[in-house]
Amino acid sequence: MDFKTMLSEFTDALVAGDGERLARLFTEDGAYHDAAYGTHRGRGEIRAMVERVAREGESYRFEMRDPVSDGQLGYARFIFSFTTRHGDFAGKHVVTEGMGCFELVDGLIKEYHEATNQGIGLAQLGIAPEHMARIFARKAERQNARPEFRDHLGS
């Protein structure tokens, strides 16, 4: 399947809350690194994440734009929106943009990473600034613990 078709399958499965359909796009040990829900490895975990996301929101819309791929790596800019059903935030609508990076092996997704400014979504939910500060401090700690960041952190 070509990259544009894969992106269409990817976004359609997410919007439909069809975890099985999305999981089939990944290798058996593939990983989905979601900016909000964290890392999910293997088709079972990916399927469960999509089903959880579907329960916690509605009116999903996910557009991938400007895709490029060399068959081993693929990138696409995205616009994502939904209305949350989650707790005190139920009924709030969130719109965000970002970039998706796909590592491809034999026509399947080995790794999916997304980069997005989560602060925009949290602000739209009405998260208090002090709570956002704690969230981002934990994210910075996890990021900076990864080996590829070591050289960038200085001594």
mmCIF file of all heavy atoms in Angstrom, residues 11 37-40 45 52 56 68 77 80 84 86 92 96 100 106 122 124 136 148 153 155:
data_model
loop_
_atom_site.group_PDB
_atom_site.id
_atom_site.type_symbol
_atom_site.label_atom_id
_atom_site.label_comp_id
_atom_site.label_asym_id
_atom_site.label_seq_id
_atom_site.Cartn_x
_atom_site.Cartn_y
_atom_site.Cartn_z
ATOM 1 N N THR A 11 -5.919 7.325 9.567
ATOM 2 C CA THR A 11 -6.834 8.330 10.122
ATOM 3 C C THR A 11 -8.274 7.812 10.164
ATOM 4 O O THR A 11 -8.979 8.057 11.139
ATOM 5 C CB THR A 11 -6.758 9.654 9.335
ATOM 6 O OG1 THR A 11 -7.035 9.411 7.962
ATOM 7 C CG2 THR A 11 -5.384 10.287 9.478
ATOM 8 N N TYR A 37 -1.349 9.865 25.159
ATOM 9 C CA TYR A 37 -1.582 8.570 25.793
ATOM 10 C C TYR A 37 -0.314 7.747 25.994
ATOM 11 O O TYR A 37 -0.361 6.636 26.503
ATOM 12 C CB TYR A 37 -2.601 7.754 24.981
ATOM 13 C CG TYR A 37 -4.005 8.273 25.114
ATOM 14 C CD1 TYR A 37 -4.477 9.299 24.312
ATOM 15 C CD2 TYR A 37 -4.870 7.740 26.067
ATOM 16 C CE1 TYR A 37 -5.773 9.780 24.435
ATOM 17 C CE2 TYR A 37 -6.161 8.208 26.202
ATOM 18 C CZ TYR A 37 -6.602 9.227 25.389
ATOM 19 O OH TYR A 37 -7.880 9.696 25.525
ATOM 20 N N GLY A 38 0.819 8.254 25.559
ATOM 21 C CA GLY A 38 2.077 7.547 25.769
ATOM 22 C C GLY A 38 2.358 6.483 24.718
ATOM 23 O O GLY A 38 1.734 6.452 23.660
ATOM 24 N N THR A 39 3.292 5.606 25.033
ATOM 25 C CA THR A 39 3.740 4.575 24.096
ATOM 26 C C THR A 39 2.938 3.299 24.276
ATOM 27 O O THR A 39 2.722 2.838 25.402
ATOM 28 C CB THR A 39 5.240 4.279 24.303
ATOM 29 O OG1 THR A 39 5.973 5.470 23.985
ATOM 30 C CG2 THR A 39 5.714 3.138 23.424
ATOM 31 N N HIS A 40 2.531 2.744 23.134
ATOM 32 C CA HIS A 40 1.803 1.470 23.107
ATOM 33 C C HIS A 40 2.513 0.579 22.110
ATOM 34 O O HIS A 40 2.629 0.922 20.932
ATOM 35 C CB HIS A 40 0.339 1.698 22.740
ATOM 36 C CG HIS A 40 -0.330 2.594 23.734
ATOM 37 N ND1 HIS A 40 -0.893 2.129 24.885
ATOM 38 C CD2 HIS A 40 -0.452 3.933 23.772
ATOM 39 C CE1 HIS A 40 -1.356 3.144 25.593
ATOM 40 N NE2 HIS A 40 -1.098 4.254 24.926
ATOM 41 N N GLU A 45 -1.770 -3.727 22.353
ATOM 42 C CA GLU A 45 -1.758 -2.452 23.082
ATOM 43 C C GLU A 45 -2.268 -1.309 22.206
ATOM 44 O O GLU A 45 -2.971 -0.421 22.689
ATOM 45 C CB GLU A 45 -0.347 -2.121 23.575
ATOM 46 C CG GLU A 45 0.093 -2.937 24.768
ATOM 47 C CD GLU A 45 1.416 -2.460 25.351
ATOM 48 O OE1 GLU A 45 1.825 -1.301 25.088
ATOM 49 O OE2 GLU A 45 2.040 -3.254 26.074
ATOM 50 N N ARG A 52 -9.792 2.912 23.853
ATOM 51 C CA ARG A 52 -9.889 3.839 24.988
ATOM 52 C C ARG A 52 -10.137 5.258 24.502
ATOM 53 O O ARG A 52 -11.004 5.970 25.023
ATOM 54 C CB ARG A 52 -8.603 3.782 25.811
ATOM 55 C CG ARG A 52 -8.602 4.757 26.958
ATOM 56 C CD ARG A 52 -7.306 4.696 27.754
ATOM 57 N NE ARG A 52 -7.255 5.815 28.678
ATOM 58 C CZ ARG A 52 -6.146 6.284 29.184
ATOM 59 N NH1 ARG A 52 -4.976 5.739 28.889
ATOM 60 N NH2 ARG A 52 -6.174 7.308 30.010
ATOM 61 N N GLU A 56 -13.373 7.916 25.219
ATOM 62 C CA GLU A 56 -13.170 9.165 25.941
ATOM 63 C C GLU A 56 -13.473 10.420 25.127
ATOM 64 O O GLU A 56 -13.324 11.526 25.634
ATOM 65 C CB GLU A 56 -11.732 9.221 26.473
ATOM 66 C CG GLU A 56 -11.483 8.186 27.550
ATOM 67 C CD GLU A 56 -10.090 8.233 28.139
ATOM 68 O OE1 GLU A 56 -9.248 9.027 27.661
ATOM 69 O OE2 GLU A 56 -9.834 7.464 29.084
ATOM 70 N N VAL A 68 5.033 12.967 2.802
ATOM 71 C CA VAL A 68 6.232 12.622 2.042
ATOM 72 C C VAL A 68 6.765 11.306 2.598
ATOM 73 O O VAL A 68 6.687 11.051 3.795
ATOM 74 C CB VAL A 68 7.333 13.711 2.102
ATOM 75 C CG1 VAL A 68 6.881 14.988 1.428
ATOM 76 C CG2 VAL A 68 7.746 13.999 3.526
ATOM 77 N N ARG A 77 2.058 16.323 8.071
ATOM 78 C CA ARG A 77 1.525 17.321 9.003
ATOM 79 C C ARG A 77 0.080 16.935 9.284
ATOM 80 O O ARG A 77 -0.617 16.413 8.419
ATOM 81 C CB ARG A 77 1.594 18.687 8.324
ATOM 82 C CG ARG A 77 1.198 19.844 9.185
ATOM 83 C CD ARG A 77 1.513 21.157 8.476
ATOM 84 N NE ARG A 77 0.724 21.354 7.290
ATOM 85 C CZ ARG A 77 -0.474 21.944 7.274
ATOM 86 N NH1 ARG A 77 -1.020 22.374 8.392
ATOM 87 N NH2 ARG A 77 -1.127 22.110 6.140
ATOM 88 N N PHE A 80 -5.895 17.701 14.089
ATOM 89 C CA PHE A 80 -6.690 16.723 14.838
ATOM 90 C C PHE A 80 -7.664 17.479 15.730
ATOM 91 O O PHE A 80 -7.298 18.483 16.353
ATOM 92 C CB PHE A 80 -5.741 15.874 15.698
ATOM 93 C CG PHE A 80 -6.416 14.844 16.538
ATOM 94 C CD1 PHE A 80 -7.031 13.742 15.958
ATOM 95 C CD2 PHE A 80 -6.428 14.960 17.922
ATOM 96 C CE1 PHE A 80 -7.640 12.781 16.739
ATOM 97 C CE2 PHE A 80 -7.041 13.997 18.715
ATOM 98 C CZ PHE A 80 -7.651 12.903 18.122
ATOM 99 N N THR A 84 -14.239 16.096 24.000
ATOM 100 C CA THR A 84 -13.965 15.129 25.060
ATOM 101 C C THR A 84 -15.226 14.748 25.824
ATOM 102 O O THR A 84 -16.146 15.553 25.966
ATOM 103 C CB THR A 84 -12.883 15.648 26.042
ATOM 104 O OG1 THR A 84 -12.563 14.602 26.952
ATOM 105 C CG2 THR A 84 -13.331 16.882 26.792
ATOM 106 N N HIS A 86 -14.464 13.198 28.777
ATOM 107 C CA HIS A 86 -13.704 12.835 29.967
ATOM 108 C C HIS A 86 -13.993 13.757 31.148
ATOM 109 O O HIS A 86 -13.713 14.963 31.104
ATOM 110 C CB HIS A 86 -12.210 12.852 29.631
ATOM 111 C CG HIS A 86 -11.348 12.209 30.656
ATOM 112 N ND1 HIS A 86 -11.361 10.859 30.890
ATOM 113 C CD2 HIS A 86 -10.458 12.732 31.519
ATOM 114 C CE1 HIS A 86 -10.506 10.571 31.844
ATOM 115 N NE2 HIS A 86 -9.947 11.690 32.244
ATOM 116 N N LYS A 92 -15.979 19.773 26.015
ATOM 117 C CA LYS A 92 -15.013 20.746 25.480
ATOM 118 C C LYS A 92 -14.407 20.212 24.187
ATOM 119 O O LYS A 92 -14.084 19.036 24.071
ATOM 120 C CB LYS A 92 -13.933 21.056 26.500
ATOM 121 C CG LYS A 92 -14.511 21.770 27.714
ATOM 122 C CD LYS A 92 -13.479 22.459 28.513
ATOM 123 C CE LYS A 92 -14.195 23.230 29.640
ATOM 124 N NZ LYS A 92 -13.277 24.002 30.407
ATOM 125 N N THR A 96 -5.901 20.713 17.444
ATOM 126 C CA THR A 96 -4.445 20.842 17.526
ATOM 127 C C THR A 96 -3.817 20.431 16.205
ATOM 128 O O THR A 96 -4.444 19.750 15.394
ATOM 129 C CB THR A 96 -3.883 20.011 18.702
ATOM 130 O OG1 THR A 96 -2.514 20.323 18.885
ATOM 131 C CG2 THR A 96 -4.055 18.529 18.468
ATOM 132 N N GLY A 100 3.412 13.916 12.152
ATOM 133 C CA GLY A 100 3.536 12.488 12.381
ATOM 134 C C GLY A 100 4.746 11.955 11.636
ATOM 135 O O GLY A 100 4.985 12.323 10.482
ATOM 136 N N ASP A 106 8.639 -3.163 5.407
ATOM 137 C CA ASP A 106 7.834 -4.076 4.573
ATOM 138 C C ASP A 106 6.379 -3.617 4.438
ATOM 139 O O ASP A 106 5.448 -4.419 4.531
ATOM 140 C CB ASP A 106 7.883 -5.505 5.135
ATOM 141 C CG ASP A 106 9.280 -6.087 5.101
ATOM 142 O OD1 ASP A 106 10.044 -5.740 4.171
ATOM 143 O OD2 ASP A 106 9.626 -6.885 6.008
ATOM 144 N N LEU A 122 -4.327 21.429 26.112
ATOM 145 C CA LEU A 122 -4.605 21.568 27.545
ATOM 146 C C LEU A 122 -5.242 22.915 27.855
ATOM 147 O O LEU A 122 -6.144 23.001 28.699
ATOM 148 C CB LEU A 122 -3.317 21.364 28.341
ATOM 149 C CG LEU A 122 -2.704 19.965 28.264
ATOM 150 C CD1 LEU A 122 -1.358 19.938 28.986
ATOM 151 C CD2 LEU A 122 -3.637 18.908 28.808
ATOM 152 N N GLN A 124 -7.155 24.609 25.809
ATOM 153 C CA GLN A 124 -8.536 24.550 25.327
ATOM 154 C C GLN A 124 -9.436 23.772 26.286
ATOM 155 O O GLN A 124 -10.640 24.025 26.357
ATOM 156 C CB GLN A 124 -8.583 23.918 23.936
ATOM 157 C CG GLN A 124 -7.971 24.812 22.872
ATOM 158 C CD GLN A 124 -7.867 24.121 21.533
ATOM 159 O OE1 GLN A 124 -8.868 23.708 20.961
ATOM 160 N NE2 GLN A 124 -6.642 23.988 21.041
ATOM 161 N N PHE A 136 4.245 19.223 32.079
ATOM 162 C CA PHE A 136 5.384 19.443 31.184
ATOM 163 C C PHE A 136 6.720 19.166 31.868
ATOM 164 O O PHE A 136 7.672 18.749 31.215
ATOM 165 C CB PHE A 136 5.320 20.834 30.553
ATOM 166 C CG PHE A 136 4.206 20.938 29.558
ATOM 167 C CD1 PHE A 136 3.163 21.822 29.744
ATOM 168 C CD2 PHE A 136 4.180 20.112 28.442
ATOM 169 C CE1 PHE A 136 2.122 21.893 28.832
ATOM 170 C CE2 PHE A 136 3.141 20.173 27.533
ATOM 171 C CZ PHE A 136 2.109 21.063 27.724
ATOM 172 N N GLU A 148 19.286 9.503 23.281
ATOM 173 C CA GLU A 148 19.578 10.412 22.159
ATOM 174 C C GLU A 148 19.633 11.883 22.580
ATOM 175 O O GLU A 148 20.100 12.725 21.821
ATOM 176 C CB GLU A 148 18.626 10.192 20.991
ATOM 177 C CG GLU A 148 17.173 10.499 21.303
ATOM 178 C CD GLU A 148 16.343 9.305 21.717
ATOM 179 O OE1 GLU A 148 16.874 8.396 22.371
ATOM 180 O OE2 GLU A 148 15.144 9.283 21.382
ATOM 181 N N LEU A 153 22.257 17.779 26.308
ATOM 182 C CA LEU A 153 22.015 18.300 27.650
ATOM 183 C C LEU A 153 23.254 18.888 28.302
ATOM 184 O O LEU A 153 23.163 19.482 29.367
ATOM 185 C CB LEU A 153 21.433 17.197 28.545
ATOM 186 C CG LEU A 153 20.047 16.726 28.140
ATOM 187 C CD1 LEU A 153 19.649 15.482 28.911
ATOM 188 C CD2 LEU A 153 19.027 17.836 28.321
ATOM 189 N N SER A 155 26.980 18.864 30.161
ATOM 190 C CA SER A 155 27.581 18.027 31.209
ATOM 191 C C SER A 155 26.876 18.067 32.512
ATOM 192 O O SER A 155 25.926 18.309 32.901
ATOM 193 C CB SER A 155 29.026 18.443 31.457
ATOM 194 O OG SER A 155 29.136 19.845 31.568
#
